[in-house]
């Protein structure tokens, strides 16, 4: 057996699997998005843009996703950064491992159960009951955008901490010493050295969280109570309840396209930021 | 700074802790603590719907993790020695599999398979010998395993490839210089070195499949996995039984995760 045949044999199962379970299904979605809803409930193949011109009917879902996903990403970043900084710069190696594992563990436990925990905490007998106890009454938290935001931060915080931690951990600590030896105030050292050097970590973390948030369904479904819905919730409705496959396919294709465009623009911005910083450092 | 870190850790762990705490609650009501009891665990474990869902979840997680680790490792090993368009295609496929939101993978699998099945079923019925009931392809445990395997294969390729890239090439070269066959080199040099990564990939895949809700929600057909069961129960209201199930699920994930982590670390140290 030549090396070539061997490699082909090794790649065959994975290749076939990707073809049948990824390429063909995605192609079907793409084709269906140009089709028409059949009276039987399926899709009649056609070449019409009707489904795409109907997209504004689901504008609210896109609007919610495109506001709460960036907002959630920013909020997660703001909370994650100081923690990542603490883990990378201020802890002893012994504690570092334990604390890092403690950050990752929640991410690998069921997001369903973790979101469910917040139904419990934000519901009538949870945090609002505590507020009532100190005299603030009538506080409603569950089924609000705030609840969804809390769920998002809670669910994706670990994913944000990790890449930022990695970039801060690689940072040469002598730079920080040099900066303070040269008389820079701590905040100046942070703004001019630490923050710029951690941009790659911030970029990775934000992108990971943002991509996952774009397709989010569970958190708004559980904590938004039907009032705060994402594109994901619209998709579940279209495919599993109203069974409008053609329109649903158009929404799904649009979601992926919007995601790709956002990520591409974002990558451009980040690489430009990186490039301009290099220019500065050369000067 | 330290205070801040403590606050964030509290934020991360209080909700999990509350669930675990209330799962041992003796009271009927989900929101008032009334003494210690393990009765909700007993109740959950004797609920036939829960046990059915658990069985489905375990079968799906085991099969898809197994297929994903075997085929994913095969692909990773082959890709190691390949350049050019084939390599680029696979890189793209893995990138797409990981990038596309789970919900879109679920949808695509659902309508893709249903469409293919609709074409195949009459065909099978036509060629099936008369007098026998022809099998009918439909969504269910098979489509669940197939969909999970696709996604997890990409994950395993990424993990195993990272391990292969960290391996000292001199070792495989030495092995072939000493006249070992390619298969011999693989079995005696490569495999022992990447084995921890494969096993870690298996465990992570298992956890992922076991916890997955969104893909299963679309492709499970009439089957119910544990996350689907939990989701539909939550919709009907918060009960202590769900707390008990949730605590058990988190416990199992935790165990698998720690094992995977230890394996990856040990593997990393050995090759250095």
């Amino acid at each position: 057996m030549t090396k070539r045949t061997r490699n082909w044999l090794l790649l065959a199962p994975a290749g076939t699997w990707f073809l049948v379970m990824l390429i063909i299904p995605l192609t079907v979605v793409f084709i269906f998005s140009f089709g028409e809803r059949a009276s039987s409930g399926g899709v009649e193949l056609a070449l019409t843009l009707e489904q795409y011109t109907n997209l504004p009917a689901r504008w609210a879902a896109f609007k919610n996703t495109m506001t709460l996903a960036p907002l959630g990403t920013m909020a997660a970043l703001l909370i994650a950064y100081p923690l990542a900084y603490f883990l990378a710069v201020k802890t002893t190696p012994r504690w570092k491992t334990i604390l890092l594992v403690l950050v990752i563990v929640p991410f690998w436990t069921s997001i369903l159960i973790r979101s469910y925990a917040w139904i419990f905490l934000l519901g009538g007998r949870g945090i609002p009951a505590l507020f009532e106890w100190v005299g603030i009454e009538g506080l409603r938290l569950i089924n609000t955008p705030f609840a969804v935001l809390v769920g998002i931060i809670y669910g994706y915080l670990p994913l944000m901490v990790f890449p930022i931690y990695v970039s801060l951990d690689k940072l040469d600590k002598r730079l920080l010493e040099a900066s303070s030896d040269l008389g820079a105030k701590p905040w100046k050292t942070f703004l001019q050295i630490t923050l710029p050097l951690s941009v790659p970590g911030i970029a990775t973390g934000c992108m990971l969280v943002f991509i996952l948030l774009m397709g989010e369904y569970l958190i708004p479904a559980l904590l938004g109570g039907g009032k705060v819905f994402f594109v994901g919730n619209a998709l579940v409705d279209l495919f599993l309840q109203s069974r409008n496959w053609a329109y649903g396919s158009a929404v799904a294709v649009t979601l992926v396209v919007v995601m790709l465009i956002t990520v591409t623009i974002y990558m451009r911005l980040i690489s430009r930021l990186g490039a301009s910083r290099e220019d500065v450092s050369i000067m | 700074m330290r205070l801040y870190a403590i606050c964030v850790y509290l934020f991360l762990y209080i909700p999990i802790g509350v669930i675990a705490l209330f799962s041992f609650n003796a009271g009927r009501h989900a929101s008032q603590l009334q003494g210690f009891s393990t009765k909700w665990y007993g109740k959950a474990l004797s609920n036939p719907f829960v046990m059915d869902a658990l069985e489905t979840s375990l079968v799906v997680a085991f099969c898809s993790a197994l297929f994903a680790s075997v085929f994913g490792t095969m692909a990773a090993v082959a890709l190691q020695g390949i350049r050019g368009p084939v390599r680029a295609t696979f890189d793209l496929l893995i990138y797409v599999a990981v990038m596309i939101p789970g919900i879109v993978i679920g949808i695509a699998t659902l309508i893709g398979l249903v469409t293919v099945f609709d074409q195949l079923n009459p065909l099978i019925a036509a060629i099936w010998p008369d007098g026998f009931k022809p099998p009918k392809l439909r969504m269910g445990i098979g489509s669940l395993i197939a969909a999970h395997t696709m996604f997890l294969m990409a994950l395993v390729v990424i993990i195993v490839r990272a391990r292969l890239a960290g391996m000292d090439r001199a070792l495989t070269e030495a092995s072939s210089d000493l006249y070992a066959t390619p298969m011999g080199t693989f079995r005696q040099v490569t495999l022992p070195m990447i084995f921890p990564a494969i096993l870690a990939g298996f465990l992570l895949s298992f956890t992922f499949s076991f916890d997955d809700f969104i893909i299963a929600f679309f492709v499970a057909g009439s089957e119910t996995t544990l996350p689907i069961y939990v989701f539909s129960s939550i919709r009907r209201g918060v009960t202590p039984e769900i707390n008990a199930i949730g605590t058990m699920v988190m416990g199992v994930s935790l165990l698998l995760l720690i094992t995977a982590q230890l394996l990856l670390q040990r593997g990393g140290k050995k090759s250095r």
Side-chain angles (χ1 to χ4, degrees):
Chain A
M1 192 163 49
T2 66
K3 205 177 160 194
R4 216 182 140 80
T5 22
R6 200 193 66 210
N7 278 341
W8 277 109
L9 282 175
L10 285 173
L11 284 174
T16 319
W17 217 290
F18 278 131
L19 178 72
V20 176
M21 297 302 297
L22 186 68
I23 301 174
I24 292 178
L26 287 177
T27 314
V28 169
V29 171
F30 188 70
I31 294 171
F32 276 14
S33 74
F34 296 102
E36 276 165 359
R37 186 179 195 177
S39 48
S40 59
V43 174
E44 227 163 79
L45 293 183
L47 199 66
T48 160
L49 286 174
E50 195 193 316
Q51 312 303 338
Y52 287 96
T53 51
N54 272 338
L55 279 178
R58 295 281 173 167
W59 167 240
F62 278 99
K63 200 186 78 186
N64 280 338
T65 310
M66 291 313 283
T67 38
L68 281 171
L71 208 63
T73 311
M74 282 312 293
L77 172 64
L78 289 179
I79 297 177
Y81 197 94
L83 183 68
Y85 183 82
F86 174 77
L87 288 174
V89 182
K90 303 268 178 189
T91 46
T92 55
R94 203 187 142 74
W95 274 97
K96 203 177 265 187
T97 326
I98 301 171
L99 289 174
L100 261 181
V101 169
L102 282 176
V103 172
I104 307 165
V105 161
F107 185 71
W108 277 95
T109 55
S110 162
I111 181 102
L112 173 63
I113 311 261
R114 285 187 296 136
S115 308
Y116 160 75
W118 282 100
I119 300 186
F120 208 79
L121 287 172
L122 296 175
R125 302 224 191 151
I127 293 171
L130 288 181
F131 272 94
E132 231 159 81
W133 200 58
V134 291
I136 303 168
E137 292 201 12
L139 187 68
R140 259 185 60 83
L141 291 175
I142 193 83
N143 302 346
T144 60
F146 173 77
V148 176
L149 203 60
V150 170
I152 288 172
I153 297 170
Y154 184 64
Y156 292 106
L157 191 63
L159 200 59
M160 185 67 94
V161 172
F162 205 67
I164 300 177
Y165 163 80
V166 170
S167 69
L168 283 172
D169 196 44
K170 274 193 299 202
L171 183 148
D172 191 342
K173 306 292 181 297
R174 283 173 304 182
L175 289 174
L176 305 182
E177 282 165 27
S179 171
S180 76
D181 286 351
L182 292 170
K185 294 242 165 27
W187 62 268
K188 204 163 182 191
T189 306
F190 176 77
L191 283 180
Q192 297 201 325
I193 297 176
T194 316
L195 190 62
L197 286 175
S198 60
V199 165
I202 297 175
T204 313
C206 287
M207 202 173 78
L208 287 175
V209 172
F210 186 73
I211 287 176
L212 286 174
L213 278 180
M214 294 278 291
E216 186 59 51
Y217 164 75
L218 267 179
I219 296 173
L222 293 176
L223 300 172
K227 292 198 193 80
V228 187
F229 45 89
F230 277 26
V231 179
N233 305 68
L235 286 171
V236 168
D237 176 46
L238 286 169
F239 280 95
L240 298 180
Q241 263 112 48
S242 52
R243 292 190 185 269
N244 192 345
W245 285 10
Y247 186 45
S249 297
V251 173
V253 171
T254 312
L255 174 68
V256 173
V257 170
V258 170
M259 203 183 89
L260 287 179
I261 292 175
T262 322
V263 169
T264 313
I265 295 175
Y266 178 76
M267 297 283 257
R268 283 274 164 77
L269 280 176
I270 290 296
S271 68
R272 186 176 297 170
L273 209 70
S276 64
R277 205 179 65 236
E278 267 170 27
D279 298 342
V280 172
S281 66
I282 289 167
M283 286 193 284
Chain B
M1 200 76 204
R2 186 172 293 171
L3 190 71
Y4 178 83
I6 292 172
C7 287
V8 177
Y9 280 102
L10 284 179
F11 172 67
L12 283 175
Y13 281 92
I14 281 180
I16 296 178
V18 167
I19 293 291
L21 180 69
F22 275 86
S23 71
F24 292 108
N25 186 8
R28 245 206 162 284
H29 291 289
S31 48
Q32 279 168 338
L33 277 177
Q34 291 169 337
F36 177 87
S37 148
T38 52
K39 72 172 175 189
W40 298 112
Y41 286 86
K43 211 158 183 171
L45 292 175
S46 58
N47 181 339
F49 294 109
V50 174
M51 296 319 281
D52 261 6
L54 177 67
E55 197 191 319
T56 311
S57 278
L58 287 175
V59 170
V60 170
F62 181 79
C63 293
S64 39
L66 186 69
F67 291 149
S69 7
V70 173
F71 298 148
T73 306
M74 283 162 63
V77 169
L79 287 173
Q80 185 71 357
I82 294 184
R83 298 273 171 277
V86 180
R87 167 75 175 259
T89 313
F90 268 86
D91 283 348
L92 183 71
L93 284 172
I94 289 161
Y95 182 71
V96 169
V98 176
M99 271 278 279
I100 297 271
I103 192 164
V104 176
I105 291 191
I107 288 167
T109 313
L110 170 73
I111 67 174
L113 286 185
V114 167
T115 310
V116 173
F117 289 171
D118 281 350
Q119 305 294 318
L120 285 181
N121 277 332
L123 211 71
I124 294 173
I127 58 166
W128 213 250
D130 287 333
F132 294 98
K133 201 170 170 283
K136 209 165 162 9
L137 296 171
R138 64 171 92 197
M139 305 302 280
I141 213 160
S143 56
L144 258 172
I145 294 174
H148 278 178
T149 302
M150 191 282 294
F151 176 82
L152 297 172
M153 224 163 47
L155 188 76
V156 171
V157 173
I158 294 171
I159 294 175
V160 173
R161 223 195 211 170
R163 195 77 274 278
L164 280 168
M167 230 172 78
D168 196 346
R169 284 190 79 88
L171 289 170
T172 47
E173 277 160 20
S175 169
S176 64
D177 285 351
L178 294 168
Y179 301 109
T181 57
M183 194 58 204
T185 304
F186 178 76
R187 273 205 0 233
Q188 302 203 324
V189 180
T190 314
L191 191 60
M193 290 189 66
I194 59 172
F195 191 69
I198 300 173
L199 206 56
F202 176 86
L203 293 175
L204 291 181
S205 300
F206 189 97
T207 318
F208 180 88
S209 168
F210 191 73
D211 284 342
D212 166 67
F213 168 76
I214 197 66
I215 298 178
F217 197 38
F218 283 97
V219 303
S222 57
E223 293 285 341
T224 304
T225 65
L226 200 55
I228 294 178
Y229 176 83
V230 170
F231 180 77
S232 51
S233 316
I234 293 174
R235 288 244 146 148
R236 273 181 270 123
V238 176
T239 65
E241 201 181 328
I242 299 293
N243 292 337
I245 299 172
T247 309
M248 286 190 278
V249 169
M250 288 193 294
V252 171
S253 309
L254 192 69
L255 211 69
L256 292 175
L257 179 75
I258 290 173
T259 319
Q261 200 58 42
L262 288 176
L263 283 168
L264 278 176
Q265 266 173 14
R266 224 184 56 190
K269 268 182 202 139
K270 224 189 246 169
S271 68
R272 245 172 251 152

